[in-house]
Amino acid sequence: MRSATPWSDVVRFLVEATGETLYMVGVSTVIATVLGVPVGVWLQLTAKGGLRPNAAVHRILSFVTDLGRSMPFIVLLVALTSVTRLLVGGSIGSTAVIVPLAVGAIPFVGRLVQNILSEVHVTVVEAAITTGASTLRIVRSVLIRESLPALINAIGVTVIALIGYSAMAGVIGGGGLGDLAIREGYQRFNDRILWSTVAWLAVLTTVIQFGFTRVAAAADRRRHASV
Amino acid sequence: MITVENLTKSFQGVSALNGVTLDVEAGTVLGVVGPSGAGKSTLARCVALLERPDSGAIRVDGTDITSLDGSALRAARRQIGVVPQGDSLLRQRTAAGNIALPLESAGIPGPQRRTRVGELLDLVGLTDKAASYPDQLSGGQRQRIAVARALAANPSVLLADEPTSALDPETTGSVLTVLDRARAELGVTVLIVTHDMGVVRKICDDVAVLEQGRVVEHGKVLDLVNDVASRTSSALLPAVDLNPINESSYDRVADVVLVGFAAVGALLPEAAHRFGVELNIVGGGLTRLGETPVARFRLGLNGERSDSALEWIGEAGGSVQRSLKGPQGVAA
């Protein structure tokens, strides 16, 4: 029976793995947001009752989106290997994990965004239409700005989901907290590392969630009547 | 200024508008009234260019705006300021920011925008609420901001769809005052769609009654009240209570409608004096349409020259509507 890993080593492992996780999740969240928000906007514009209703486009887009969302991440991870190699010049390591993470998150973000945009009340949108605003302006100043707090929360939800997905990064050598818990903790029967990682993950996700909630609240101009 | 010609619109085979024709003179206020399901909302949405009619035309300054597309459509929309039904303000923008929206759409630069927003806040009396968010305003204040927004891009026509439907009577007054000021100070032509005859009573010059997608009555409010058979008169004039016992003691009983200060003030006493008759008001009352006092009285007359007195009232501008007791009555 070997002695437990010293705490200083546990911390070193955790710091390193946290860096990898935040790198993978951070970059893929940015990519998923940049590409997923337009997908969500497009879904909502083409939806029935949207600003540019188009049943055919909407159906195709919905189908692709739902297909992307139904794909188990572990499958996406290995299925996209050749695409990943093309995009980042390699198929292993943290950077390589970003590709499937982002690809998996785009439809996820797209659906979340569409749901949120559809909540903007129709009278508000129509009022904007009657001002002679262009579709682009309505998307920007009305749909997105009115739902900004909810959109920020949705990005927070995406980050948390991606932290979960990134636990599978170990499969292609991506590292990160999930990999640490599985490889160093679970497979080597190192309970100290396993449970430290679990606890740290709980703290990390809580802090991230809290941060997003705060930012979303700060962006929300709806205040309870003070007059 | 704005004319609606033979407008039809149906939804899945159910016709909502059935050949609606309306005409609103520049600088006047038209109230479109009617029961629910009469097509008021559809008409409002067509005029707001949110719904395309199946046939017919909507002309602003002679130009048909129903078949426009793209930037021409957006430009036409700026010609028609719309106060939509219900809460329509951006909740993430201040009152001033909401009013600025049409100006942004019109591409008006920042400094001019701020000046214009200031003028409009002043017009609706909410200068001190410029930086407030909609959630910090009362329902009436929000609606006044919506009116200011509708007026921002200097439209020639203002369309208000049930602007007072969710408001209490006092707040309704403040919103109507603002609409009236828009007409008086900006010369805007106003079209109000409402189920509330009180709105017509307070600020409308003209009224159109819509029923089952058709205009069944259209004209000046003060003309229509003289016509006892009109829906407008029965809705706006004071009711005359039936009191047969009371009425039996008169030689003549008649309803008269009197419009204007002079008529309401001096006409009846003068008639009584001139013809030496006893003239009593046995029913009805006085009301006000806009600034004009209007009365509908049931008169009871005693005396030989009662008929002459009634005739004289008619010639002097009152409209004698119903002689309940004819010449073959007691006096004959």
Side-chain angles (χ1 to χ4, degrees):
Chain A
M1 198 73 201
R2 68 202 164 94
S3 60
T5 314
W7 282 109
S8 59
D9 285 357
V10 173
V11 171
R12 196 166 47 77
F13 275 134
L14 280 175
V15 168
E16 194 187 337
T18 304
E20 287 162 352
T21 293
L22 291 183
Y23 167 65
M24 292 186 290
V25 170
V27 176
S28 52
T29 301
V30 170
I31 295 171
T33 304
V34 168
L35 298 178
V37 170
V39 168
V41 169
W42 201 13
L43 273 168
Q44 176 57 24
L45 288 183
T46 55
K48 194 162 174 267
L51 287 169
R52 295 282 171 86
N54 186 329
V57 172
H58 185 75
R59 208 169 300 133
I60 293 167
L61 205 57
S62 283
F63 176 74
V64 174
T65 305
D66 293 338
L67 193 74
R69 286 199 309 147
S70 65
M71 194 73 73
F73 181 67
I74 191 95
V75 176
L76 206 58
L77 198 63
V78 291
L80 286 178
T81 307
S82 54
V83 179
T84 304
R85 196 175 293 123
L86 200 71
L87 286 175
V88 300
S91 58
I92 53 166
S94 297
T95 306
V97 178
I98 288 170
V99 175
L101 274 182
V103 168
I106 290 167
F108 182 79
V109 172
R111 236 350 143 193
L112 282 179
V113 168
Q114 191 219 337
N115 278 335
I116 289 165
L117 298 185
S118 71
E119 293 289 311
V120 177
H121 211 283
V122 65
T123 55
V124 175
V125 178
E126 285 185 347
I129 294 175
T130 65
T131 68
S134 62
T135 304
L136 185 67
R137 183 177 298 281
I138 294 172
V139 167
R140 216 180 49 208
S141 303
V142 181
L143 291 182
I144 292 187
R145 185 59 192 93
E146 281 294 291
S147 37
L148 194 59
L151 289 174
I152 291 170
N153 271 323
I155 304 305
V157 169
T158 306
V159 169
I160 307 290
L162 286 182
I163 289 176
Y165 288 165
S166 74
M168 298 167 217
V171 174
I172 60 168
L177 288 164
D179 189 39
L180 177 68
I182 293 166
R183 220 160 28 82
E184 297 292 333
Y186 178 69
Q187 289 171 356
R188 292 188 172 184
F189 304 106
N190 189 333
D191 281 354
R192 181 173 281 189
I193 286 187
L194 177 60
W195 291 111
S196 300
T197 309
V198 168
W200 173 234
L201 269 170
V203 171
L204 193 66
T205 50
T206 307
V207 168
I208 288 170
Q209 184 63 68
F210 179 74
F212 274 96
T213 307
R214 283 293 291 270
V215 174
D220 197 347
R221 300 291 178 234
R222 287 170 296 176
R223 301 273 189 266
H224 290 294
S226 61
V227 281
Chain B
M1 173 52 73
I2 180 164
T3 57
V4 173
E5 292 166 11
N6 223 359
L7 215 61
T8 64
K9 176 78 186 174
S10 53
F11 298 97
Q12 278 124 37
V14 181
S15 106
L17 298 179
N18 225 325
V20 170
T21 297
L22 289 174
D23 181 20
V24 199
E25 255 176 73
T28 64
V29 181
L30 169 74
V32 176
V33 296
S36 334
K40 299 193 301 286
S41 260
T42 307
L43 177 64
R45 291 180 61 81
C46 285
V47 174
L49 301 178
L50 288 170
E51 206 84 66
R52 240 179 245 270
D54 298 337
S55 69
I58 296 168
R59 293 181 199 283
V60 176
D61 269 338
T63 314
D64 184 12
I65 52 171
T66 48
S67 51
L68 301 173
D69 275 306
S71 62
L73 175 61
R74 290 198 293 277
R77 280 174 172 149
R78 284 194 280 276
Q79 279 285 297
I80 300 174
V82 180
V83 183
Q85 188 170 0
D87 259 341
S88 65
L89 298 182
L90 298 174
R91 297 177 77 197
Q92 302 288 357
R93 278 197 184 202
T94 60
N98 270 286
I99 298 174
L101 187 67
L103 302 170
E104 292 166 16
S105 303
I108 290 165
Q112 278 164 264
R113 222 156 57 204
R114 276 185 284 281
T115 312
R116 181 79 186 132
V117 168
E119 291 166 10
L120 288 156
L121 281 165
D122 187 46
L123 180 83
V124 300
L126 290 172
T127 303
D128 56 327
K129 299 291 181 193
S132 300
Y133 287 91
D135 285 13
Q136 296 168 310
L137 300 173
S138 69
Q141 290 170 336
R142 283 202 291 273
Q143 201 64 321
R144 276 145 74 192
I145 295 295
V147 174
R149 175 181 62 187
L151 291 168
N154 272 317
S156 48
V157 175
L158 181 68
L159 167 75
D161 188 3
E162 297 283 4
T164 60
S165 62
L167 306 175
D168 59 60
E170 196 178 321
T171 324
T172 295
S174 74
V175 172
L176 293 181
T177 303
V178 163
L179 288 172
D180 201 36
R181 275 184 86 175
R183 180 261 302 268
E185 292 179 21
L186 308 175
V188 176
T189 304
V190 185
L191 203 158
I192 305 176
V193 173
T194 181
H195 68 279
D196 179 6
M197 283 306 275
V199 172
V200 174
R201 179 192 303 284
K202 286 192 193 93
I203 65 165
C204 293
D205 303 301
D206 291 21
V207 64
V209 181
L210 215 56
E211 265 179 31
Q212 295 178 333
R214 282 199 178 79
V215 176
V216 293
E217 201 168 297
H218 181 22
K220 300 217 161 302
V221 175
L222 292 181
D223 291 345
L224 285 169
V225 291
N226 276 310
D227 174 7
V228 72
S230 75
R231 291 165 173 81
T232 306
S233 71
S234 59
L236 290 182
L237 291 179
V240 279
D241 303 322
L242 291 174
N243 193 343
I245 300 160
N246 202 353
E247 285 165 12
S248 65
S249 59
Y250 291 100
D251 298 340
R252 292 285 180 279
V253 174
D255 287 352
V256 297
V257 173
L258 303 168
V259 176
F261 284 96
V264 170
L267 204 63
L268 298 183
E270 196 180 338
H273 179 75
R274 227 175 236 245
F275 296 92
V277 294
E278 183 198 348
L279 191 156
N280 287 324
I281 293 168
V282 296
L286 183 65
T287 185
R288 201 176 264 272
L289 299 177
E291 294 298 310
T292 312
V294 176
R296 169 158 66 179
F297 294 131
R298 176 155 294 178
L299 303 178
L301 297 95
N302 273 324
E304 287 190 9
R305 298 171 73 196
S306 292
D307 288 325
S308 309
L310 285 172
E311 203 174 307
W312 182 82
I313 290 170
E315 281 163 10
S319 64
V320 181
Q321 291 180 331
R322 200 150 56 103
S323 208
L324 296 168
K325 279 190 170 178
Q328 63 272 56
V330 185

